[in-house]
Amino acid sequence: MPPESTVRWMYQCLFRIRFFEERIQELAREKAVPGYLHTYLGSEAIAVGVMAALRQDDWITSTYRSHGHAIAKNVDLCEIAAEIHGRRTGVCKGRGGSMHISDFDKGMLGAFGIVAAGPAIALGAALQERRKGSDRIAVSFFGDGAVHNGVFHEAAGLAKLWNVPLLLVCENNGYAEATATDWHLNTETVADMMAAYAMPARTVDGMDMFTVYEAASDAVQRMRQGGGPELIEFKSYRFSGQYEGDEQAYQPPAEVSKARARDPVLLARNTASQLGLGGAAIEALEAAAHRDVDDAFARAAEAAWPAPEDALEEVYVAYPKDRIAYA
Amino acid sequence: MRDLTVKDAINEALRQSMEADENVVLFGEDIAGGQGRDEHPGAMDAWGGPFGVTKGLCTQFGRDRVRDTTIAEAGFFGAAIGAAMVGMRPVCELMYVDFAGVCFDQMMNQAAKMRYMFGGKQNVPMVMRTVVGAGFRAGAEHSQTLYSLFTHIPGLKVVAPYSAADAKGLLISAIRDDDPVVFLEHKRLYMRAEPVPEAAEAIPLGKGRRRRAGRDVTIVAVQRMNLFAEAAAETLAAEGIDVEIIDPRTYSPLDEEMILSSVGKTGRAVIVDESHPRCSLATDIAALIAEKGFAGLKAPVLKVTGPHAPVPFSPPMEDYYIPSPERIARRVREAMDFSKRS
Ligand SMILES: Cc1ncc(C[n+]2csc(CCOP(=O)(O)OP(=O)(O)O)c2C)c(N)n1
Ligand SMILES: [Mg+2]
């Protein structure tokens, strides 16, 4: 079990992600924010458990389903909300949007819209940290669908050859878009695929944040002490659509309710009393998370828009400005 | 003739092509959807791709001919090439053109060069259908056009239709064509409707379309920019400036004659392309006019494009990014003013 302060942080983080994403669903229904929105509902325990096993200065890469990772990396909630609203105060100044929430000061190395872009980026970071002699590690989060893409395999192969501290975290949420994971995998599990690289790999329950924490901690400890890459496949379920607006017509109701019975928030609430967190303590944490989310979105909705010409900023580190602007 | 949206026109072109030739086979990610859940009533054809363009085709033709793939673009585009070499006519969907990087080798090096490099012995009759364009608040990795990336490569044909009737007729041609064709669909045009012929009538590749006749200035407009060029032309008409609009429709091959004869008549050209300005269709067409149409010019060839920057997410910035009717009108006035001065 993690130390008591970490346990409290985990509950706070879990509730924040859940309430944040539920708010995103409301905003999507009201069409109150622009762009594509992919929520993390159903996989919250993975980001919470893995990040609890990391230090703030460890690196992660994320995907278009980035809100949960960013929240668990302690990125400012209001800066995330403002980014989703497209405001100047957003974590990417409104240039990225929901799919690209990334705070590099908090140890994020990007949130990519291209499936499987992340593992190779994290690989490079892991290599440089090892070269520097630091014990920082790099973690790449990606979905079950990403394991069919060549880049994932190229990164895995190099990571093993280079023996670098790269933790590949596969979030197996049962679907890649509208395609069922049990159809698209040729193997029983994603972990099975890693035999090809002689890479240690496990399949672990991704619904219980403490189980996630234990599995991630084990791997992280090995890597801090000079160990090489590992993969952990966490099994969760995508409660939301692929994106907000997806009707989920392909998800059988019986399957959904079975997964809902192991909702990560439900499981965490059930464990709380065993951890000395009584009903009142949990309620207080939930109320605080609700307040934090309300406050973040309230401030985000009031925040200033970027200036139109800000579109031309920061394309390069150095480049003649008039060559970027319109003629 | 009934009205069809661009989306439905493309769906109809695919359906009619599949009915006519059993070797027309579709590959793509969730172009049907629900793969692995066929026993569940809502699964079959749950998606039809992210925009529903291919919806219903799997129900009609089955999973053998509407093949949902994994997220393995290099793999299934390569497979399409091989299949095409032995008799299939694959139509592959790349969900967004922004993912071209993942499968570009197969298109650029294998599909494009197969005929040439092996002494003209092998054709690759395949189509890459993909989705381009800004204006969807989809951010830097889901909003590009990349027209010139494909047009640059000898061996690939490139089609970018504006209207529903063109989309249908050109896609039919693309599927029947014996060369690899990149067929670019603009996400902001999918829901625009116009009368579309019911029959499977092909529109030849390499023929542009004059969308508006005028005396003073030729606007050459790429895909969605036809919409904005038309709006600009209306404004300018009220000022007494008579604009002609040329929609090349296909970029490889390019209807050089139509562009040159129009500019020969008006003496002024403004090219409008939503892409970045460098090495773009706009610069390519401008170079064509400079080389082959110089004698008839009364003003420099001008262009309106996006900036040399990725597509931003936030609405005020993205709106600024996309060429507007106002910017187009301003450029046209510049072309007019230049020749008044000289
Ligand atoms: C290279 C590439 N191909 C296709 C897509 C479109 N796409 C976005 S998400 C997605 C499914 C990903 O599934 P999975 O990896 O399981 O992640 P999940 O969305 O379930 O978290 C696809 C195909 C993309 N973004 N990038
Ligand atoms: Mg998935």
Side-chain angles (χ1 to χ4, degrees):
Chain A
M1 269 296 162
E4 199 188 311
S5 61
T6 305
V7 170
R8 285 188 72 82
W9 175 89
M10 289 172 78
Y11 276 94
Q12 177 199 41
C13 192
L14 183 80
F15 292 141
R16 281 180 161 194
I17 298 175
R18 171 58 56 94
F19 302 153
F20 191 96
E21 297 294 53
E22 286 175 344
R23 176 62 59 87
I24 289 291
Q25 291 196 312
E26 284 167 31
L27 292 169
R29 275 193 293 273
E30 295 161 8
K31 302 204 189 316
V33 287
Y36 288 125
L37 297 162
H38 306 77
T39 77
Y40 198 58
L41 293 165
S43 293
E44 295 93 335
I46 304 175
V48 173
V50 171
M51 249 57 95
L54 297 182
R55 297 194 312 240
Q56 189 70 56
D57 69 350
D58 287 319
W59 299 112
I60 70 161
T61 65
S62 178
T63 67
Y64 48 87
R65 206 177 290 291
S66 59
H67 311 165
H69 303 140
I71 293 171
K73 246 324 197 166
N74 296 316
V75 179
D76 184 85
L77 276 188
C78 186
E79 288 187 29
I80 302 173
E83 186 61 35
I84 293 166
H85 271 280
R87 304 310 164 101
R88 178 186 294 171
T89 53
V91 63
C92 307
K93 302 179 190 169
R95 281 210 290 270
S98 163
M99 288 197 279
H100 305 289
I101 305 292
S102 189
D103 187 341
F104 293 73
D105 295 333
K106 297 280 165 60
M108 293 185 75
L109 289 171
F112 307 108
I114 308 299
V115 166
I121 310 281
L123 163 67
L127 171 66
Q128 177 62 355
E129 291 302 342
R130 180 111 330 149
R131 284 186 65 243
K132 288 194 293 194
S134 93
D135 67 350
R136 288 164 96 173
I137 71 156
V139 180
S140 182
F141 291 89
F142 52 89
D144 49 279
V147 304
H148 297 290
N149 207 286
V151 184
F152 166 75
H153 291 275
E154 296 176 32
L158 279 172
K160 183 66 186 176
L161 285 175
W162 288 346
N163 191 44
V164 296
L166 171 68
L167 179 59
L168 296 167
V169 173
C170 180
E171 301 177 326
N172 180 347
N173 59 3
Y175 286 88
E177 289 186 341
T179 297
T181 307
D182 50 27
W183 177 79
H184 77 64
L185 286 184
N186 293 300
T187 47
E188 197 64 38
T189 67
V190 169
D192 288 344
M193 299 170 80
M194 306 318 286
Y197 304 103
M199 185 187 293
R202 300 171 57 193
T203 301
V204 175
D205 174 28
M207 290 304 216
D208 176 52
M209 64 180 179
F210 296 109
T211 308
V212 173
Y213 168 83
E214 296 298 339
S217 291
D218 283 354
V220 169
Q221 288 328 309
R222 284 190 287 275
M223 287 181 206
R224 293 225 197 277
Q225 287 152 17
E230 301 191 22
L231 177 140
I232 310 175
E233 169 189 17
F234 290 110
K235 296 193 82 163
S236 64
Y237 193 80
R238 202 188 67 215
F239 292 159
S240 58
Q242 162 65 19
Y243 58 89
E244 288 314 298
D246 175 11
E247 288 164 11
Q248 298 174 265
Y250 47 87
Q251 282 168 275
E255 180 187 284
V256 176
S257 43
K258 185 162 168 247
R260 288 259 183 207
R262 299 200 68 249
D263 181 323
V265 173
L266 195 72
L267 296 190
R269 280 192 190 120
N270 292 346
T271 336
S273 58
Q274 300 159 34
L275 296 168
L277 282 164
I282 286 295
E283 272 167 35
L285 281 165
E286 288 194 36
H290 270 302
R291 271 198 309 278
D292 293 344
V293 168
D294 286 347
D295 173 61
F297 279 100
R299 285 194 287 144
E302 300 285 289
W305 292 99
E309 310 79 48
D310 291 352
L312 311 179
E313 296 297 328
E314 295 166 320
V315 182
Y316 297 91
V317 175
Y319 202 84
K321 189 66 189 296
D322 61 335
R323 315 281 160 80
I324 289 180
Y326 301 107
Chain B
M1 242 190 277
R2 75 271 123 93
D3 279 12
L4 282 188
T5 60
V6 169
K7 185 178 94 150
D8 291 342
I10 292 169
N11 183 283
E12 186 167 274
L14 290 169
R15 183 160 46 75
Q16 290 175 340
S17 300
M18 292 176 82
E19 280 165 353
D21 181 353
E22 62 169 18
N23 283 314
V24 176
V25 174
L26 315 187
F27 298 6
E29 292 155 15
D30 296 296
I31 54 172
Q35 183 68 270
R37 290 290 178 272
D38 278 351
E39 74 287 356
H40 173 60
M44 173 59 86
D45 265 322
W47 268 39
F51 297 92
V53 175
T54 46
K55 211 172 170 74
L57 297 175
C58 194
T59 303
Q60 182 175 347
F61 298 102
R63 290 209 181 269
D64 175 55
R65 292 186 66 197
V66 180
R67 303 188 77 87
D68 276 348
T69 65
T70 56
I71 310 169
E73 288 87 358
F76 73 81
F77 273 90
I81 296 168
M85 290 164 70
V86 297
M88 194 188 278
R89 286 192 175 265
V91 182
C92 272
E93 178 173 296
L94 180 66
M95 192 173 287
Y96 291 83
V97 78
D98 311 72
F99 312 157
V102 181
C103 63
F104 201 47
D105 172 69
Q106 294 294 335
M107 294 304 293
M108 170 182 78
N109 281 322
Q110 321 320 333
K113 296 171 178 55
M114 198 70 73
R115 180 176 168 78
Y116 180 83
M117 193 166 70
F118 297 109
K121 295 197 181 76
Q122 180 66 57
N123 298 344
V124 184
M126 68 171 290
V127 178
M128 170 198 256
R129 284 184 46 242
T130 186
V131 178
V132 305
F136 228 70
R137 316 309 187 204
E141 295 186 338
H142 290 76
S143 301
Q144 299 169 87
T145 44
L146 305 180
Y147 300 122
S148 54
L149 207 64
F150 301 106
T151 309
H152 184 70
I153 307 296
L156 299 181
K157 289 178 175 166
V158 181
V159 182
Y162 164 61
S163 73
D166 283 357
K168 180 175 175 185
L170 289 165
L171 183 54
I172 290 168
S173 279
I175 295 170
R176 292 181 190 166
D177 201 280
D178 286 331
D179 289 313
V181 181
V182 179
F183 191 87
L184 303 157
E185 303 166 11
H186 199 296
K187 56 174 89 69
R188 283 297 306 270
L189 295 176
Y190 272 141
M191 298 314 288
R192 292 185 62 80
E194 70 172 6
V196 175
E198 298 191 21
E201 288 166 20
I203 296 172
L205 307 186
K207 288 272 169 264
R209 178 161 162 189
R210 189 171 71 169
R211 294 198 169 274
R212 183 185 178 106
R215 275 171 289 114
D216 297 326
V217 180
T218 300
I219 297 182
V220 182
V222 179
Q223 207 165 23
R224 184 175 181 225
M225 294 300 109
N226 278 281
L227 184 63
F228 295 176
E230 187 57 41
E234 287 297 317
T235 308
L236 292 160
E239 300 168 19
I241 301 173
D242 195 16
V243 169
E244 175 147 308
I245 301 176
I246 303 293
D247 173 6
R249 304 194 292 194
T250 78
Y251 296 89
S252 204
L254 178 69
D255 191 344
E256 299 189 0
E257 293 73 35
M258 182 175 282
I259 294 168
L260 291 169
S261 78
S262 173
V263 177
K265 179 179 75 178
T266 61
R268 302 176 189 90
V270 174
I271 333 270
V272 191
D273 174 1
E274 167 185 333
S275 303
H276 314 299
R278 306 285 317 280
C279 303
S280 59
L281 292 181
T283 54
D284 183 68
I285 293 167
L288 166 76
I289 298 169
E291 274 184 9
K292 298 190 185 167
F294 186 74
L297 286 176
K298 301 174 193 157
V301 180
L302 300 176
K303 61 184 169 58
V304 183
T305 66
H308 187 61
V311 182
F313 159 69
S314 180
M317 291 192 285
E318 191 182 34
D319 293 344
Y320 177 78
Y321 177 98
I322 301 168
S324 62
E326 295 71 35
R327 283 185 51 221
I328 298 168
R330 229 180 295 140
R331 288 304 248 176
V332 168
R333 288 187 206 106
E334 263 177 64
M336 293 300 293
D337 289 348
F338 182 90
S339 32
K340 270 184 220 144
R341 265 185 285 125
S342 53

